[in-house]
Amino acid sequence: DAGVIQSPRHEVTEMGQEVTLRCKPISGHNSLFWYRQTMMRGLELLIYFNNNVPIDDSGMPEDRFSAKMPNASFSTLKIQPSEPRDSAVYFCASRTTDEAFFGQGTRLTVV
Amino acid sequence: SQQGEEDPQALSIQEGENATMNCSYKTSINNLQWYRQNSGRGLVHLILIRSNEREKHSGRLRVTLDTSKKSSSLLITASRAADTASYFCATAGSYQLTFGKGTKLSVIP
């Protein structure tokens, strides 16, 4: 398996634009997590899915953020409209029961 | 909110020395996990210890868990320059996996 695949690896966008981050979890994993990492706040859990169903989205910072998992092999995290304070590295991770496997992350810069 | 909190925030040691990092958490857990992150990369799982275990070893890694104190420690023995990275503890509940802010370890050759 190629592991958790995230795209794009880097994204630079202007404030106000819509940003969509993509994640392909490892086949057979039934849980998927979206995290945001910044120097100030560390690694924050934004939302997690179990069997494609959002279980807890209390970590999503604002209504500008939304996440979907239409099927077991694909998830998106959308920010609309984006703001400079959204600049961070966004990680997707998947797991079955115990250890989580992380993607390489998407480095988002909003200017 | 952060569940686990690592201590110290940064640690610098000489190659060959041992490195100890600590993690404290607040609520009950199913297990506690340690991860490593190299600069610019995703996190990689190192070791997991279940709530009914007190100590676990894997190669040069030793993890302890004290559920009465809600704390864990990660010991890396005979450190190498390649161990330079950030180390995170993660507490696992029924579904969630919540990370602390990490300890940045620098191993000087």
Side-chain angles (χ1 to χ4, degrees), chain B residues 5-103:
Chain B
E5 292 291 337
E6 291 89 345
D7 168 58
Q9 290 186 328
L11 180 61
S12 184
I13 59 174
Q14 295 287 330
E15 199 166 31
E17 294 181 339
N18 296 341
T20 300
M21 289 159 268
N22 302 298
C23 169
S24 59
Y25 58 93
K26 297 175 183 174
T27 63
S28 61
I29 59 172
N30 291 340
N31 64 69
L32 187 142
Q33 304 175 30
W34 286 89
Y35 288 77
R36 164 192 169 129
Q37 183 180 33
N38 287 84
S39 180
R41 309 294 295 270
L43 280 74
V44 175
H45 182 267
L46 293 176
I47 192 168
L48 177 152
I49 186 165
R50 302 195 184 280
S51 58
N52 61 352
E53 297 176 311
R54 292 296 169 258
E55 187 171 313
K56 201 162 185 180
H57 297 255
S58 177
R60 295 184 295 113
L61 305 180
R62 172 178 170 254
V63 171
T64 62
L65 179 64
D66 187 334
T67 53
S68 66
K69 295 181 179 178
K70 292 187 168 57
S71 67
S72 173
S73 67
L74 171 68
L75 169 67
I76 304 174
T77 60
S79 63
R80 305 167 183 168
D83 294 329
T84 294
S86 291
Y87 292 82
F88 296 83
C89 69
T91 51
S94 299
Y95 291 108
Q96 290 182 335
L97 192 60
T98 309
F99 288 82
K101 291 190 175 181
T103 292

Side-chain angles (χ1 to χ4, degrees), chain A residues 24-48:
Chain A
K24 182 181 188 306
I26 292 173
S27 177
H29 284 191
N30 59 356
S31 292
L32 184 140
F33 304 82
W34 281 100
Y35 291 91
R36 176 172 70 175
Q37 187 175 38
T38 61
M39 290 292 292
M40 290 295 294
R41 292 191 296 270
L43 202 62
E44 301 173 279
L45 176 62
L46 300 177
I47 186 170
Y48 62 90

